[in-house]
Amino acid sequence: MTYGIVNKIIPFSAVDGPGNRTVVFLQSCNFQCLNCHNPETISFCSHCGICIDFCNSDALKIIDNVVIWNKNNCTSCDECIKNCPTNSSPKTTQFSVDELLNKIEKYSVFTSGITISGGECTVQSDFLLEFLKKAKQKGISAFIDSNLHVETEKLKELANYFDKAMPDVKSYNLEKHKLLTGQSSNLVLKNLNFLLKSDKVFEIRTVIIPNILNNEETISEVSKIIAIHNPKLRYKLIKYRKTGVKTPDFANEPSDELMQKLKIIAQNNGCENILIV
Ligand code: SF4
Ligand code: SF4
């Protein structure tokens, strides 16, 4: 049986795809973004047990070399995360596909579907594939939120079972992408083209980070790609915000003037649906 490691589930969200959706955050990411707001979702827990001594609420135990988190005792002080040597979290839960679907189905009368996010959801691609297959069988609308740094053949397989993706394009420029994330943008752009051609994109997102990224180049190139495939597709330009970032001063927050300037660049390239958030 395939199991997934889940960092968190938000039963109802209005900002993760169309309508009111249940969002599942899978643990682990293949990027190391400088602007990551949830760095504890990047690494899998190695069950070393170091964090147990920092928990004053008896919420962590090690049983058979596995750290077990007791949600009911947890006060969310995050001392375990702060003291983890690998920046991970013991506050994850292992689910089988059926266990996760059963949990989500409790909310389904109030929601329009589910969104699988992360971390990076495609890191756990075997679990994700099985989950998406069963969700589709049950008629549940499933979106994925992805950085698209996944083997194209794997993404094609996944795309048979999800409705739409909400990809991040962090930087068009290969070197700047590597500087921000630790990985190049080649695979991301290749996969973006595949998804656009397959009409599998709900919206594209780019975080604007002044001084670090070539924001104008990224917005210009991505908006041209959007205009070719579907000018009405939403392009979300997201302001970098320092709050919650581990080393927040690595960059400045963008000004409203810069955001407007980028919006105009995208509009001039034929992109009709641009949202600044
Ligand atoms: S969260 Fe970190 S410190 Fe705690 S068991 Fe996992 S790897 Fe070790
Ligand atoms: S966040 Fe929860 S598990 Fe972690 S140290 Fe605090 S009480 Fe313990």
Side-chain angles (χ1 to χ4, degrees), residues 203-254:
E203 70 179 14
I204 299 175
R205 303 158 171 181
T206 294
V207 179
I208 308 304
I209 309 178
N211 313 118
I212 299 292
L213 299 177
N214 289 358
N215 299 292
E216 292 185 21
E217 181 191 13
T218 299
I219 301 307
S220 179
E221 295 302 325
V222 173
S223 57
K224 282 180 204 163
I225 296 170
I226 291 174
I228 290 167
H229 290 280
N230 177 6
K232 295 196 186 312
L233 183 72
R234 184 159 74 190
Y235 192 14
K236 202 183 256 185
L237 310 186
I238 304 170
K239 288 180 173 186
Y240 165 62
R241 290 180 176 86
K242 294 187 178 193
T243 317
V245 175
K246 206 166 183 187
T247 48
D249 291 329
F250 86 98
N252 296 326
E253 294 187 352

Side-chain angles (χ1 to χ4, degrees), residues 100-124:
L100 187 57
L101 273 166
N102 287 342
K103 189 165 178 74
I104 285 165
E105 281 184 310
K106 288 182 193 146
Y107 312 121
S108 64
V109 284
F110 307 107
T111 61
S112 331
I114 53 176
T115 296
I116 311 294
S117 185
E120 166 52 35
C121 64
T122 60
V123 171
Q124 298 190 55

Side-chain angles (χ1 to χ4, degrees), residues 50-62:
I50 289 172
C51 57
I52 294 173
D53 288 343
F54 294 92
C55 179
N56 292 324
S57 307
D58 201 24
L60 297 173
K61 279 192 171 51
I62 193 156

Side-chain angles (χ1 to χ4, degrees), residues 34 44 70 75 78 90 117 141 167 169 171 176 178 183-184 190 200 263 266:
L34 296 172
F44 283 115
N70 181 338
T75 58
D78 282 351
S117 185
S141 157
V169 180
S171 168
K176 293 287 184 183
K178 204 163 190 172
Q183 303 282 351
S184 104
K190 180 181 174 199
K200 283 283 185 179
K263 182 178 179 178

